[in-house]
Amino acid sequence: MMTPRETVEALDRYIIGQSEAKRAVAIALRNRYRRSRLSPELREEITPKNIIMMGPTGVGKTEIARRLAKLVEAPFVKVEATKFTEVGYVGRDVDSMIRDLVEAAIRLCKEQRMKVVRPVAEANAEQRLIDALMPAYKSGWKAPENPLQFLLGGNKPPVELTEEEKSQRLSKREEITNALRAGQLEDEIVEIQIEQPNNGANAMIAMGIDVNLNEMMGGILPPKKKNRKAKVSEARKLLIQDESEKLIDMDDVTQEAIERAEQDGIVFIDEIDKIAAAANTHGADVSREGVQRDILPIVEGCTVTTKYGPVKTDFILFIAAGAFHVSKVSDLIPELQGRFPIRVKLEPLSVEDYRSILIQPEHAITKQYEALLRTDNILLSFTDDAISAIARSAFNANESEENIGARRLHTIVENLLDDISFNAGGDHPLTKVVVDEEYVKEHVRKEYEGEDLQRFIL
């Protein structure tokens, strides 16, 4: 388990600045580990200290929570608080955030189990591929056209293969196995049979009915099987998936997933400021306060019924976030405020922050575009002055227009590379393209260069 300092260092690889928010989530994560080492009696008394993040959009609130969950492989779900205030909202209520968390936990546990059983699944899939590629050996017995004939003894049973036929079959199987492993049969078309999931339950969930019909009926519905023709390369993936499903005990996966959702789950509630209401208000504000009261029991700790069983929310970590431009945290109902004792403020991004975002993170925007265009024989690079010019353009645009934070960089870089991306077709030799400050000034639209003050001069 990482220390808080190690957690912050890991987050620094992807997120620029916001050290206060990183420290808060790192401490909350470490407290979970500390709690797990206590006695069961004391462990039940210690609940997570939920966090509320305040800051404009695009400064890293969601990314901090998402990266935190990935670091520790914890079940994570993000919900928008405003969706529960929509007029005519139909379907699942606020409990859906916990149901979604359990689904995320099941996917996570299932993926981890599949990695463990993958070697066995690959071996089984290979044998099924070989069987599909083997020619049919005729043994002199033909299946009756009428199945009743076989039951009434109308046909003779199949005869045993001779030693010579067995030897030929074994030799042919070895030949196919060697060719398959050497990659010589990847484009061959084979017919395979795979199990299809029953989509009836998913259809009912879409209508807001969270039940498993097959479980209610005692699992009497047989699995659907489908014959499918595909290339060996594609068939291998399908068969590995099919074999992995057979090797996994879904009852164990479900039990582990529920426990991980209860003990390690992270729920990120975004736009919580949009459901804050000032005192003595009516209409829509009353509706927003009603949503707060609906969310309150889940954050306080209750038991939510899901199709996989009851799930306790007492030890789930809730991270709320909002811009709080108009409303304040104090506008939330007091009971909900008390359930978020840790409050951190995320600062707006500066020009230097934008510059760092462009080049420092592991998957920085400039690195993404360089990798994309490299596939079309374009060696793209940015000079230091170009990076600075893009950062200034993003800062100026956010100051003069709606502040959308680091998301502005995607808009600017996309406009900047529009001509290069359009003309790159991969049918030309390797070409080196250097983006400098002059190129940025020529291609970035004027509205990103700040307000033109000359129009005010008489």
Side-chain angles (χ1 to χ4, degrees), residues 141-156:
W141 175 75
K142 185 180 179 182
E145 294 181 2
N146 185 356
L148 289 176
Q149 287 182 1
F150 181 75
L151 295 175
L152 298 173
N155 281 60
K156 294 180 181 180

Side-chain angles (χ1 to χ4, degrees), residues 219-231:
I220 63 174
L221 297 176
K224 293 169 60 179
K225 294 187 177 181
K226 180 181 179 181
N227 289 334
R228 180 170 174 180
K229 289 184 178 181
K231 289 184 178 181

Side-chain angles (χ1 to χ4, degrees), residues 154-421:
N155 281 60
K156 294 180 181 180
V159 295
E160 289 289 333
L161 294 174
T162 64
E163 292 298 325
E164 184 180 355
E165 288 175 330
K166 288 181 180 178
S167 176
Q168 290 177 358
R169 186 180 181 88
L170 186 60
S171 175
K172 185 66 177 176
R173 191 175 185 87
E174 289 178 356
E175 181 185 334
I176 291 175
T177 302
N178 293 333
L180 185 66
R181 291 176 179 173
Q184 300 172 0
L185 306 176
E186 295 299 293
D187 293 329
E188 292 290 325
I189 303 295
V190 293
E191 185 173 359
I192 57 174
Q193 188 180 71
I194 55 175
E195 289 188 4
Q196 293 287 99
N198 192 340
N199 294 325
N202 295 337
M204 297 190 70
I205 291 173
M207 294 186 293
I209 306 171
D210 196 8
V211 295
N212 192 322
L213 268 182
N214 200 20
E215 287 183 2
M216 288 176 59
M217 302 179 70
I220 63 174
L221 297 176
K224 293 169 60 179
K225 294 187 177 181
K226 180 181 179 181
N227 289 334
R228 180 170 174 180
K229 289 184 178 181
K231 289 184 178 181
V232 168
S233 55
E234 179 66 22
R236 184 185 289 106
K237 298 176 185 177
L238 296 172
L239 290 174
I240 290 174
Q241 178 72 21
D242 194 43
E243 289 296 325
S244 299
E245 297 275 358
K246 294 177 182 177
L247 292 168
I248 292 173
D249 187 343
M250 283 307 297
D251 290 336
D252 287 347
V253 170
T254 301
Q255 185 176 355
E256 180 189 351
I258 289 177
E259 184 177 353
R260 290 185 66 173
E262 290 179 340
Q263 302 298 325
D264 302 330
I266 299 175
V267 176
F268 184 80
I269 306 175
D270 201 7
E271 295 185 349
I272 198 167
D273 58 317
K274 302 296 192 302
I275 61 171
N280 301 322
T281 52
H282 305 280
D285 289 332
V286 174
S287 171
R288 290 197 287 268
E289 185 173 319
V291 174
Q292 293 182 57
R293 297 196 179 279
D294 288 341
I295 293 176
L296 180 61
I298 296 177
V299 180
E300 281 183 332
C302 64
T303 301
V304 176
T305 303
T306 71
K307 66 179 179 181
Y308 303 105
V311 177
K312 292 176 64 178
T313 68
D314 301 66
F315 307 110
I316 294 173
L317 176 63
F318 290 89
I319 301 177
F324 290 99
H325 289 314
V326 179
S327 58
K328 304 182 294 295
V329 177
S330 56
D331 290 332
L332 295 169
I333 59 175
E335 298 90 342
L336 194 59
Q337 290 181 50
R339 290 297 167 180
F340 289 91
I342 301 176
R343 301 176 187 178
V344 292
K345 186 174 182 180
L346 284 80
E347 297 299 328
L349 300 173
S350 64
V351 175
E352 190 56 37
D353 289 332
Y354 288 120
R355 194 179 190 286
S356 300
I357 290 169
L358 284 167
I359 55 176
Q360 283 188 15
E362 281 198 6
H363 303 99
I365 302 171
T366 52
K367 297 176 185 177
Q368 294 176 21
Y369 281 94
E370 287 169 5
L372 284 171
L373 291 172
R374 181 66 177 82
T375 62
D376 276 334
N377 293 336
I378 298 291
L379 284 177
L380 182 69
S381 61
F382 295 83
T383 62
D384 288 342
D385 55 359
I387 296 295
S388 299
I390 296 171
R392 287 195 302 271
S393 299
F395 180 81
N396 292 335
N398 282 333
E399 287 293 305
S400 59
E401 301 176 15
E402 187 71 25
N403 188 351
I404 59 174
R407 296 185 179 94
R408 181 78 66 182
L409 292 172
H410 288 279
T411 305
I412 293 177
V413 176
E414 189 67 35
N415 289 331
L416 180 67
L417 302 178
D418 181 74
D419 288 341
I420 299 173
S421 299

